[in-house]
Amino acid sequence: MVASNGDISSFLKSHGLTGTAIRKQVLSHLWGDGVALTQKEIEEKLPPATDRVTLYRTLRLFTEKGVVHKIVLDGETQKFKIAGRFRKSDHAHFYCTKCHKLLCMPQLDVDLTDLPEGFQFSSARLVVEGICDACSGKK
Amino acid sequence: MVASNGDISSFLKSHGLTGTAIRKQVLSHLWGDGVALTQKEIEEKLPPATDRVTLYRTLRLFTEKGVVHKIVLDGETQKFKIAGRFRKSDHAHFYCTKCHKLLCMPQLDVDLTDLPEGFQFSSARLVVEGICDACSGKK
DNA sequence: CTTCTTTTTGCAACATGGTTGCATTTTAAT
DNA sequence: ATTAAAATGCAACCATGTTGCAAAAAGAAG
């Protein structure tokens, strides 16, 4: 729990959501830069009695309201991450295979000038995997 | 069925696989440039009596042997596509939201020079969505 | 083309996760 | 404190991943 209860409550309110117990708990676990968890990972951090449907609905609601982003790592793994300052999850992400943090990388751009003639771009999703700066020992 | 039975049989053999009925059927539906189908879509094209476990195993085997690539479109949809000349599915793909074709776009490159210092790149997956040249009316 | 060995298939079964409906509980506003 | 609206917990259902095993099919050998 990195953020205070007040932080989380006002964060929820600012997104038009009421601050219920499970919502605060889920958010508190997702709080922090680069933290990205699967539904299962979140479930394991919650009290054992937590209903999986409620968690499912909470995450669906969060995603709908833009509170979190769903990011697909490898086709099997879906991670949830607090949306932060970006409205869409359209920008690139970097996934560190060591510390499992997922970082936004809006500076990584796809060169769409190479798109063949006649192709109309609408959206792009890019996930880069590797080792992040903290884990590579440098810096 | 775009390819002849002989084409498909030798294609299977060249990948070290025997040419059984279901394998030939699945391949025949995936044959053709840009064709990419979900497991469900393939299932619907096969005879109604087809066992879903067999199809599942067939696609798993194809993926393992590098006959097809699994490509994730939006986190929910997994499409299968004949691997073609690329050994890995690491290169970029273009998904046409009109005709639902999935095209390899190895020329689309990610500019990884923008990766911040200390970050080590290992692999990247890029899916671009939009309208393909055939559907945009041009060309 | 029959026999034999190996591979593949079909079926039953179980696990997991998405999804819905509904009654009960909680929230937040009066 | 009361009350209307929202959220939760539970049962239940469905789709799909996955395994084990016996029956069937494929390919090789004679």
Side-chain angles (χ1 to χ4, degrees):
Chain A
M1 177 100 67
V2 183
S4 79
N5 209 292
D7 281 347
I8 291 181
S9 286
S10 54
F11 182 81
L12 279 167
K13 238 171 239 169
S14 73
H15 284 270
L17 297 173
T18 58
T20 66
I22 200 177
R23 291 181 189 172
K24 287 181 202 165
Q25 290 175 67
V26 170
L27 268 191
S28 77
H29 289 298
L30 287 174
W31 215 261
D33 194 38
V35 177
L37 301 170
T38 64
Q39 177 161 341
K40 193 165 198 66
E41 284 165 348
I42 296 170
E43 200 177 327
E44 284 161 1
K45 289 175 188 292
L46 296 175
T50 309
D51 183 58
R52 75 182 182 87
V53 178
T54 305
L55 175 57
Y56 162 74
R57 281 195 275 230
T58 300
L59 290 172
R60 185 176 58 181
L61 184 72
F62 280 3
T63 307
E64 279 167 17
K65 296 285 181 183
V67 176
V68 301
H69 286 156
K70 252 195 265 189
I71 290 129
V72 182
L73 288 192
D74 52 33
E76 283 131 83
T77 330
Q78 265 194 347
K79 291 251 180 182
F80 292 91
K81 177 182 189 345
I82 290 188
R85 64 207 148 103
F86 302 103
R87 219 179 323 156
K88 290 200 168 186
S89 61
D90 226 34
H91 52 277
H93 289 94
F94 186 93
Y95 182 65
C96 178
T97 51
K98 241 185 185 169
C99 67
H100 304 290
K101 283 199 174 177
L102 188 67
L103 303 158
C104 293
M105 287 260 162
Q107 68 270 44
L108 277 191
D109 224 6
V110 181
D111 190 1
L112 289 171
T113 54
D114 286 340
L115 211 61
E117 218 197 329
F119 283 79
Q120 291 170 34
F121 157 82
S122 120
S123 75
R125 267 161 307 105
L126 169 64
V127 178
V128 180
E129 286 189 13
I131 313 281
C132 77
D133 58 346
C135 288
S136 72
K138 297 170 190 173
K139 190 182 182 181
Chain B
M1 175 101 68
V2 183
S4 79
N5 209 294
D7 281 348
I8 291 180
S9 286
S10 54
F11 181 81
L12 280 168
K13 238 171 239 168
S14 73
H15 284 268
L17 297 174
T18 58
T20 66
I22 200 177
R23 290 181 189 172
K24 286 181 202 165
Q25 291 175 68
V26 170
L27 268 191
S28 77
H29 290 299
L30 286 175
W31 215 260
D33 195 37
V35 177
L37 302 170
T38 64
Q39 178 162 340
K40 192 164 198 67
E41 285 166 347
I42 296 170
E43 198 177 327
E44 284 162 1
K45 289 174 188 291
L46 296 175
T50 309
D51 184 60
R52 74 183 181 85
V53 178
T54 305
L55 174 58
Y56 161 75
R57 281 194 275 230
T58 299
L59 289 172
R60 186 177 58 182
L61 184 71
F62 279 3
T63 307
E64 280 167 16
K65 296 285 180 181
V67 176
V68 300
H69 286 158
K70 253 196 263 189
I71 291 129
V72 183
L73 288 193
D74 52 35
E76 285 131 83
T77 331
Q78 264 195 348
K79 292 249 180 182
F80 292 91
K81 177 182 190 342
I82 290 187
R85 63 209 148 102
F86 302 103
R87 221 178 321 157
K88 289 200 169 184
S89 60
D90 225 34
H91 53 277
H93 289 94
F94 186 93
Y95 182 66
C96 178
T97 51
K98 239 185 185 168
C99 68
H100 304 290
K101 282 198 175 179
L102 189 67
L103 302 157
C104 294
M105 288 260 161
Q107 68 271 43
L108 278 192
D109 223 6
V110 182
D111 191 1
L112 289 171
T113 54
D114 287 338
L115 211 60
E117 217 197 331
F119 283 78
Q120 291 169 33
F121 156 82
S122 117
S123 76
R125 267 162 308 103
L126 169 65
V127 178
V128 180
E129 286 190 14
I131 313 279
C132 77
D133 56 348
C135 288
S136 71
K138 297 171 191 173
K139 192 181 181 180

Coordinates of all heavy atoms in Angstrom, one line a residue, chain A residues 36-41 69-80 95 100 102 127 129, chain B residues 72 74-76 78 125, chain C residues 18:
Chain A
A36 N 2.1 -3.5 -12.8 CA 1.1 -4.0 -13.7 C 0.9 -5.5 -13.3 O 1.8 -6.2 -13.1 CB 1.6 -4.0 -15.2
L37 N -0.4 -5.8 -13.0 CA -0.7 -7.1 -12.5 C -1.7 -7.8 -13.3 O -2.6 -7.2 -13.9 CB -1.2 -7.0 -11.0 CG -0.2 -6.4 -10.1 CD1 -0.9 -6.1 -8.7 CD2 1.0 -7.3 -9.8
T38 N -1.7 -9.1 -13.4 CA -2.8 -9.9 -14.0 C -3.9 -10.0 -13.0 O -3.8 -9.7 -11.8 CB -2.3 -11.3 -14.3 OG1 -2.0 -12.0 -13.1 CG2 -1.1 -11.3 -15.2
Q39 N -5.1 -10.4 -13.5 CA -6.2 -10.5 -12.6 C -5.9 -11.5 -11.5 O -6.3 -11.3 -10.3 CB -7.5 -11.0 -13.4 CG -8.7 -11.2 -12.5 CD -10.0 -11.2 -13.3 OE1 -10.0 -10.7 -14.4 NE2 -11.0 -11.8 -12.7
K40 N -5.2 -12.6 -11.9 CA -4.9 -13.6 -10.9 C -4.0 -13.1 -9.8 O -4.1 -13.3 -8.6 CB -4.2 -14.8 -11.6 CG -4.1 -16.0 -10.7 CD -3.8 -17.3 -11.5 CE -4.1 -18.5 -10.8 NZ -5.5 -18.7 -10.5
E41 N -3.0 -12.3 -10.2 CA -2.0 -11.7 -9.3 C -2.7 -10.8 -8.3 O -2.4 -10.8 -7.1 CB -0.9 -10.9 -10.0 CG 0.1 -11.8 -10.7 CD 1.0 -11.1 -11.7 OE1 0.6 -10.0 -12.1 OE2 1.9 -11.7 -12.2
H69 N -5.6 0.5 -17.6 CA -5.5 0.0 -19.0 C -5.2 -1.5 -18.9 O -4.5 -2.0 -18.1 CB -4.3 0.7 -19.7 CG -4.6 2.1 -20.1 ND1 -3.7 3.1 -20.3 CD2 -5.8 2.7 -20.3 CE1 -4.2 4.2 -20.6 NE2 -5.5 4.1 -20.6
K70 N -5.8 -2.2 -19.9 CA -5.5 -3.6 -20.1 C -4.4 -3.6 -21.1 O -4.5 -3.1 -22.2 CB -6.7 -4.3 -20.7 CG -7.4 -5.2 -19.7 CD -8.4 -6.1 -20.5 CE -9.8 -5.5 -20.6 NZ -10.7 -6.5 -21.1
I71 N -3.3 -4.3 -20.8 CA -2.2 -4.4 -21.8 C -1.9 -5.9 -22.0 O -1.7 -6.6 -21.0 CB -1.0 -3.6 -21.4 CG1 -1.4 -2.1 -21.5 CG2 0.2 -3.9 -22.3 CD1 -1.0 -1.3 -20.3
V72 N -1.8 -6.3 -23.2 CA -1.5 -7.7 -23.5 C -0.1 -7.9 -23.7 O 0.5 -7.2 -24.6 CB -2.3 -8.2 -24.8 CG1 -2.0 -9.6 -25.0 CG2 -3.8 -7.9 -24.6
L73 N 0.5 -8.8 -23.0 CA 1.9 -9.0 -23.1 C 2.3 -10.0 -24.2 O 3.1 -9.7 -25.1 CB 2.5 -9.5 -21.8 CG 2.6 -8.4 -20.7 CD1 3.5 -8.8 -19.6 CD2 3.1 -7.1 -21.3
D74 N 1.8 -11.2 -24.2 CA 2.2 -12.2 -25.1 C 1.0 -13.0 -25.7 O 1.2 -14.1 -26.2 CB 3.2 -13.1 -24.5 CG 2.7 -13.6 -23.2 OD1 1.5 -13.8 -23.1 OD2 3.5 -13.8 -22.2
G75 N -0.1 -12.5 -25.5 CA -1.3 -13.2 -26.1 C -2.0 -14.0 -25.1 O -3.1 -14.4 -25.2
E76 N -1.3 -14.3 -24.0 CA -1.9 -15.0 -22.9 C -2.1 -14.1 -21.7 O -3.1 -14.1 -21.1 CB -1.1 -16.3 -22.5 CG -1.2 -17.4 -23.5 CD 0.1 -18.0 -23.8 OE1 0.7 -18.8 -23.1 OE2 0.6 -17.6 -24.9
T77 N -1.1 -13.3 -21.5 CA -1.1 -12.5 -20.2 C -1.7 -11.2 -20.5 O -1.2 -10.4 -21.3 CB 0.4 -12.4 -19.8 OG1 1.1 -13.5 -20.1 CG2 0.4 -12.2 -18.3
Q78 N -2.7 -10.9 -19.7 CA -3.3 -9.6 -19.7 C -3.0 -8.9 -18.4 O -3.3 -9.4 -17.4 CB -4.8 -9.7 -19.9 CG -5.3 -9.6 -21.3 CD -6.8 -9.3 -21.3 OE1 -7.5 -9.5 -20.2 NE2 -7.4 -9.0 -22.4
K79 N -2.3 -7.8 -18.5 CA -2.0 -7.1 -17.3 C -2.8 -5.8 -17.1 O -3.1 -5.1 -18.1 CB -0.5 -6.7 -17.3 CG 0.4 -7.9 -17.3 CD 1.2 -7.9 -15.9 CE 2.1 -9.1 -15.8 NZ 2.8 -9.2 -14.5
F80 N -3.1 -5.5 -15.9 CA -3.8 -4.2 -15.6 C -2.9 -3.2 -15.0 O -2.0 -3.6 -14.2 CB -5.0 -4.5 -14.6 CG -6.1 -5.3 -15.2 CD1 -6.1 -6.7 -15.1 CD2 -7.1 -4.7 -15.9 CE1 -7.1 -7.4 -15.7 CE2 -8.1 -5.5 -16.5 CZ -8.1 -6.8 -16.4
Y95 N 8.0 -3.8 -21.3 CA 7.9 -4.8 -20.3 C 9.2 -5.3 -19.9 O 9.9 -5.9 -20.7 CB 6.9 -5.9 -20.7 CG 6.7 -6.9 -19.7 CD1 6.0 -6.5 -18.5 CD2 7.1 -8.2 -19.8 CE1 5.7 -7.5 -17.5 CE2 6.8 -9.2 -18.8 CZ 6.1 -8.8 -17.6 OH 5.9 -9.7 -16.7
H100 N 9.3 -7.4 -14.0 CA 7.9 -7.5 -14.4 C 7.2 -6.1 -14.3 O 6.0 -6.1 -14.1 CB 7.2 -8.6 -13.6 CG 7.9 -9.9 -13.8 ND1 7.9 -10.6 -14.9 CD2 8.6 -10.6 -12.9 CE1 8.6 -11.7 -14.8 NE2 9.0 -11.7 -13.5
L102 N 5.8 -2.7 -16.0 CA 5.3 -2.3 -17.4 C 5.4 -0.8 -17.4 O 4.7 -0.1 -16.7 CB 3.9 -2.9 -17.6 CG 3.3 -2.7 -18.9 CD1 4.1 -3.6 -19.9 CD2 1.9 -3.2 -18.9
V127 N 4.4 -3.4 -28.0 CA 4.9 -3.9 -26.7 C 6.4 -4.3 -26.9 O 6.7 -5.2 -27.8 CB 4.2 -5.0 -26.1 CG1 4.8 -5.4 -24.8 CG2 2.7 -4.6 -25.8
E129 N 9.8 -5.8 -25.2 CA 10.2 -6.6 -24.0 C 11.7 -6.5 -23.9 O 12.5 -6.4 -24.9 CB 9.8 -8.0 -24.1 CG 8.3 -8.2 -23.9 CD 7.9 -9.6 -23.7 OE1 8.8 -10.5 -23.6 OE2 6.7 -9.9 -23.8
Chain B
V72 N -2.0 -11.9 -31.7 CA -3.0 -11.3 -30.8 C -3.5 -10.0 -31.4 O -2.6 -9.1 -31.6 CB -2.5 -11.1 -29.4 CG1 -3.6 -10.6 -28.5 CG2 -2.0 -12.4 -28.9
D74 N -6.3 -7.8 -30.1 CA -6.7 -6.8 -29.2 C -6.8 -7.3 -27.7 O -7.4 -6.7 -26.9 CB -8.0 -6.2 -29.6 CG -9.1 -7.3 -29.8 OD1 -9.0 -8.3 -29.1 OD2 -9.9 -7.2 -30.7
G75 N -6.1 -8.4 -27.5 CA -6.1 -8.9 -26.1 C -7.1 -10.0 -26.0 O -7.0 -10.9 -25.1
E76 N -8.1 -10.0 -26.8 CA -9.1 -11.1 -26.7 C -9.0 -12.0 -27.9 O -9.1 -13.2 -27.8 CB -10.5 -10.5 -26.7 CG -10.9 -9.9 -25.4 CD -11.5 -8.5 -25.6 OE1 -12.7 -8.4 -25.8 OE2 -10.8 -7.5 -25.4
Q78 N -7.3 -14.1 -30.7 CA -6.1 -14.7 -31.2 C -6.4 -15.3 -32.6 O -7.2 -16.1 -32.7 CB -5.7 -15.8 -30.3 CG -4.7 -15.5 -29.2 CD -4.1 -16.7 -28.6 OE1 -4.6 -17.8 -28.8 NE2 -3.1 -16.5 -27.8
R125 N 6.6 -6.5 -30.3 CA 5.4 -6.9 -31.1 C 4.6 -5.7 -31.4 O 4.3 -4.9 -30.6 CB 4.6 -8.0 -30.4 CG 5.0 -9.4 -30.7 CD 4.5 -10.4 -29.7 NE 4.9 -9.9 -28.4 CZ 4.0 -9.3 -27.5 NH1 2.8 -9.2 -27.8 NH2 4.5 -8.9 -26.3
Chain C
dG18 P -11.4 -13.7 -17.0 OP1 -10.5 -12.8 -17.6 OP2 -11.7 -13.5 -15.5 O5' -12.8 -13.7 -17.8 C5' -12.7 -14.0 -19.2 C4' -14.1 -14.1 -19.7 O4' -14.8 -15.2 -19.1 C3' -15.0 -12.8 -19.4 O3' -15.8 -12.6 -20.6 C2' -15.9 -13.3 -18.3 C1' -16.0 -14.8 -18.5 N9 -16.3 -15.6 -17.3 C8 -15.5 -15.7 -16.2 N7 -15.9 -16.5 -15.3 C5 -17.1 -17.0 -15.9 C6 -18.0 -17.9 -15.3 O6 -18.0 -18.5 -14.3 N1 -19.1 -18.1 -16.2 C2 -19.2 -17.5 -17.4 N2 -20.3 -17.8 -18.1 N3 -18.4 -16.6 -17.9 C4 -17.3 -16.4 -17.1

